[in-house]
Amino acid sequence: MHSFQDLIALFEKQFSQWHFPGTPASLYEPAGYILGIGGKRIRPVLTLMGNELFDELHPDAFQVGNAVELFHNFTLIHDDIMDKAPLRRGMPTVHTKYNDSTALLAGDVMLIYVYQFLNKVQPRYQQRLTAVFNKAAIEVCEGQQLDMDFEKMDPGQVQYADYVHMIGLKTSVLLAASLQLGAIIGGGSEGNQAHLYEFGKNVGIAFQIQDDYLDAFGDPEKFGKQVGGDILVNKKTFLLLKALEFCNPAQREELRRLLDYTGDDKVGRTLQVFRDCKVDAWAEKEKERYTQLAFDHLEAIAVVSGRKHPLTEVADFLLHRQH
Amino acid sequence: MHSFQDLIALFEKQFSQWHFPGTPASLYEPAGYILGIGGKRIRPVLTLMGNELFDELHPDAFQVGNAVELFHNFTLIHDDIMDKAPLRRGMPTVHTKYNDSTALLAGDVMLIYVYQFLNKVQPRYQQRLTAVFNKAAIEVCEGQQLDMDFEKMDPGQVQYADYVHMIGLKTSVLLAASLQLGAIIGGGSEGNQAHLYEFGKNVGIAFQIQDDYLDAFGDPEKFGKQVGGDILVNKKTFLLLKALEFCNPAQREELRRLLDYTGDDKVGRTLQVFRDCKVDAWAEKEKERYTQLAFDHLEAIAVVSGRKHPLTEVADFLLHRQH
């Protein structure tokens, strides 16, 4: 058994030794660039944890971890093109540093390398692993498309349930599948795999609610990015959608005005409406609700509780829980 | 045994019954759109032929054919974004009909569905099939990158051998691999697989030389597109690169001037230099050389020659050979 920190170090050591081919450098250097600008390698570590929950670490968990990490980076490259994002992890995005076509193609080849790694595992569970992985990969694409569709809609048109569904696809299913893939390698039963998947999915949703909450109400010192960034760009967040549901007609009018408003006090005035609608307290409760759901599923996995410790660690890390 | 035409009909019947999911329509409608605007389904038919060269048609050949056809369409969607191409098969390209982000994501999800199909085949050859497919898929991406790199270079800087290498990756390896994948399903030996692969690769290069030749010297009535289109956009073709190699200093000077020239007689004057350098005769011979190479490899495959008839048919169709 390894701790969360041990597993990060183990994975990173192995992953940093793998490289794309040297040529054509114009294709593989951009692909390697994004892998080199960091990231916490959470997803592959979840695969290692899923494996170790049931059995000794198997080398296949590292192959699948590599696949999952490459897939995540592939989505980052392509999402950044679609979002026209200039920065990622404080560094120029791939399409900014190179160009759109190169970034597109570097992402494409990275996705094929995902399947190179998935093709290295033992045949006895290869089809099952690939099926679980593909389901999640397709859902991530569907989530990204729904996100783009929602972007074009008026905030009042987006139903809260649809938004939760979209966020689940876009950000949580890959966390959930990363765990399940490890569980398959470790020989976990289907029932235990399902609980582990739900643990990951609910942690992911709780994490996203927290992310939206911190963007609005976080301590700028601790949060590490501009507070109110989502409000400035009228991003549809858990807070905005729920505020539109909770508020009275006057507050709704004020929120709608603020969406078209670009004055210096846009953030402050929006936060005031959020507080007046008590959407801040709601978000804290909602995050707690999903966290509880996650831990209920973790609890239900039929292994001795000591084996679950690293999963508790990673959830605490992601959800800033203090014990 | 089936003829080329029979196999097209068999594949098309099966493929047209498969559909992407209905939702999100904003993602899957663009993906389905490109499949609906035609294409000759050459690659999946090659897979069926590769199978039938050695054994009865197996359902797995259709699954792999679906994978190969989806992969081809994925490359078309993404290449059209990179090339900013407005039309494909006489219809608006996906990114023109929808938008760049949707086309990018529709291509991505299509690539994942490629691997859904590859995940349905019998485990006994799944890893081998996936390895052969992945090698080709990676090479197609590398070829596209090299093509973009060459685009930015002066024609005189591009070596003929490098150009042949690029064209081989970009257009021929998928034809070659499509055949080999079928041969694996049909139980062909590794030696026979290698000959079949080389047959497909050399047919592909001969086809590309012919394509460049017809663009310059073809009969506009029969060719179905504007003659001289490559010359108008200064495209690096077999003809241009070889002309720069064959020509004398005065002809070279004229070719260089013509690259910067946009007058009405650009095509006519360029064709005159091509003829003066005898690059037209060279291209006919070079196409014949690659065709001969292809048929030598076909000949070397150790099965009775009657089984090779459909492969001769498809090569004759692609290379406009009259017997």
Side-chain angles (χ1 to χ4, degrees), chain A residues 116-133:
Chain A
Q116 286 283 66
F117 282 116
L118 289 177
N119 201 35
K120 291 179 184 175
V121 301
Q122 296 197 11
R124 63 190 167 96
Y125 44 49
Q126 184 177 14
Q127 284 197 328
R128 177 86 185 110
L129 283 179
T130 306
V132 167
F133 175 82

Side-chain angles (χ1 to χ4, degrees), chain B residues 3-249:
Chain B
S3 70
F4 176 36
Q5 289 304 326
D6 286 350
L7 290 173
I8 290 180
L10 267 179
F11 179 78
E12 189 62 43
K13 186 172 171 224
Q14 176 268 155
F15 190 62
S16 63
Q17 281 163 10
W18 180 82
H19 298 288
F20 285 105
T23 55
S26 48
L27 177 62
Y28 290 121
E29 195 191 293
Y33 165 74
I34 193 165
L35 302 183
I37 63 173
K40 294 182 295 289
R41 318 299 187 204
I42 291 289
R43 292 157 193 80
V45 164
L46 292 178
T47 301
L48 300 184
M49 285 184 186
N51 175 170
E52 240 187 353
L53 185 60
F54 301 101
D55 200 355
E56 298 273 294
L57 269 186
H58 189 284
D60 281 352
F62 287 89
Q63 302 295 348
V64 172
N66 293 345
V68 162
E69 183 63 18
L70 281 193
F71 180 79
H72 175 58
N73 280 274
F74 146 78
T75 65
L76 298 183
I77 297 177
H78 279 191
D79 285 4
D80 285 341
I81 298 174
M82 293 183 243
D83 299 343
K84 303 191 194 307
L87 294 175
R88 163 73 60 188
R89 297 168 188 157
M91 300 280 285
T93 45
V94 177
H95 68 99
T96 309
K97 187 172 163 74
Y98 302 91
N99 59 62
D100 279 14
S101 293
T102 295
L104 201 173
L105 202 57
D108 288 348
V109 83
M110 198 177 279
L111 181 52
I112 300 166
Y113 275 90
V114 166
Y115 291 95
Q116 287 282 67
F117 282 116
L118 290 177
N119 201 35
K120 291 179 182 175
V121 301
Q122 296 198 12
R124 65 189 166 96
Y125 44 50
Q126 183 176 14
Q127 282 196 329
R128 178 85 186 113
L129 284 179
T130 306
V132 167
F133 175 82
N134 282 353
K135 176 172 176 288
I138 287 167
E139 287 175 344
V140 169
C141 291
E142 293 177 355
Q144 170 69 6
Q145 182 64 49
L146 290 175
D147 195 15
M148 295 196 297
D149 293 347
F150 288 170
E151 280 284 311
K152 289 178 201 140
M153 289 162 67
D154 185 271
Q157 291 178 289
V158 179
Q159 299 297 312
Y160 177 70
D162 294 339
Y163 181 78
V164 174
H165 176 66
M166 178 279 285
I167 282 291
L169 296 178
K170 189 173 163 165
T171 70
S172 303
V173 297
L174 188 58
L175 298 171
S178 298
L179 285 163
Q180 188 182 358
L181 292 166
I184 293 169
I185 295 168
S189 70
E190 297 227 343
N192 284 336
Q193 284 176 37
H195 282 303
L196 189 56
Y197 182 94
E198 289 301 322
F199 166 74
K201 184 146 183 201
N202 286 296
V203 166
I205 295 172
F207 177 82
Q208 193 61 48
I209 295 170
Q210 166 185 275
D211 205 50
D212 286 0
Y213 177 87
L214 290 177
D215 192 273
F217 298 109
D219 178 341
E221 298 276 313
K222 289 189 196 158
F223 188 50
K225 54 181 172 178
Q226 183 188 22
V227 166
D230 289 346
I231 293 172
L232 282 173
V233 299
N234 291 340
K235 194 177 160 200
K236 291 175 194 76
T237 63
F238 279 99
L239 302 175
L240 176 59
L241 295 181
K242 214 62 194 179
L244 284 165
E245 191 181 314
F246 286 167
C247 60
N248 62 36

Side-chain angles (χ1 to χ4, degrees), chain A residues 213-320:
Chain A
Y213 177 87
L214 290 177
D215 191 272
F217 299 108
D219 177 341
E221 298 276 313
K222 289 188 197 160
F223 188 49
K225 54 181 174 179
Q226 183 189 24
V227 166
D230 290 346
I231 293 172
L232 282 173
V233 299
N234 290 340
K235 193 177 162 202
K236 290 174 195 77
T237 63
F238 279 99
L239 302 176
L240 175 59
L241 296 181
K242 213 63 193 179
L244 284 165
E245 190 181 316
F246 286 167
C247 61
N248 62 36
Q251 289 166 334
R252 183 182 316 263
E253 194 47 45
E254 166 79 347
L255 269 179
R256 295 211 164 277
R257 262 199 312 271
L258 283 166
L259 286 170
D260 294 327
Y261 180 70
T262 54
D264 282 349
D265 53 347
K266 176 177 172 122
V267 171
R269 282 172 61 186
T270 304
L271 290 179
Q272 192 54 52
V273 184
F274 282 1
R275 283 197 198 90
D276 292 346
C277 309
K278 301 196 169 51
V279 85
D280 50 347
W282 168 85
E284 293 189 85
K285 264 198 208 149
E286 190 74 348
K287 174 191 157 187
E288 210 35 65
R289 190 168 74 84
Y290 279 104
T291 303
Q292 191 54 51
L293 266 172
F295 277 89
D296 289 349
H297 281 289
L298 185 62
E299 179 69 27
I301 297 171
V303 301
V304 290
S305 62
R307 296 197 80 89
K308 301 175 186 173
H309 184 65
L311 291 165
T312 307
E313 276 186 299
V314 77
D316 290 352
F317 168 76
L318 289 171
L319 303 176
H320 301 176

